[in-house]
Amino acid sequence: SSGIAVFKRLRFSTSRSHELPETLCARIRFRGSHPQAGAAYEKLLAFLRAHHFTISSFSREVTLIDNGLTDDPGKFVTELSIPVRPAE
């Protein structure tokens, strides 16, 4: 199951911290990892077209649950975020 939302803030922090600038992003979470990301990107891009957004920067792919937390690939969760702006 997946959903799509547009959020005004996006910040990431890791042990090797790199702060990303605040930006408007469209985001989707899905069950799976990088090999399954293609279908989620297609849904996200369809959402952007339908709601008149254009991509403004590189996407971010963040693994929320992977083999560090579970040995069951069916429980993996990945989040894709794409910085966007309203289409002109």
Side-chain angles (χ1 to χ4, degrees), residues 29-75:
R29 289 182 181 174
F30 65 94
R31 286 193 191 274
S33 57
H34 182 72
Q36 294 81 37
Y41 273 111
E42 289 299 324
K43 287 181 184 179
L44 194 51
L45 293 173
F47 174 86
L48 297 181
R49 286 188 295 273
H51 292 85
H52 309 289
F53 285 99
T54 187
I55 296 170
S56 63
S57 188
F58 295 102
S59 66
R60 286 107 173 181
E61 189 170 322
V62 178
T63 302
L64 302 173
I65 300 174
D66 66 2
N67 56 5
L69 296 173
T70 179
D71 291 330
D72 181 357
K75 294 182 180 177

Side-chain angles (χ1 to χ4, degrees), residues 1-5 27-31 40 62 64 77-80:
S1 156
S2 63
I4 298 174
R27 178 171 69 185
I28 187 170
R29 289 182 181 174
F30 65 94
R31 286 193 191 274
V62 178
L64 302 173
V77 176
T78 301
E79 179 179 276
L80 307 176

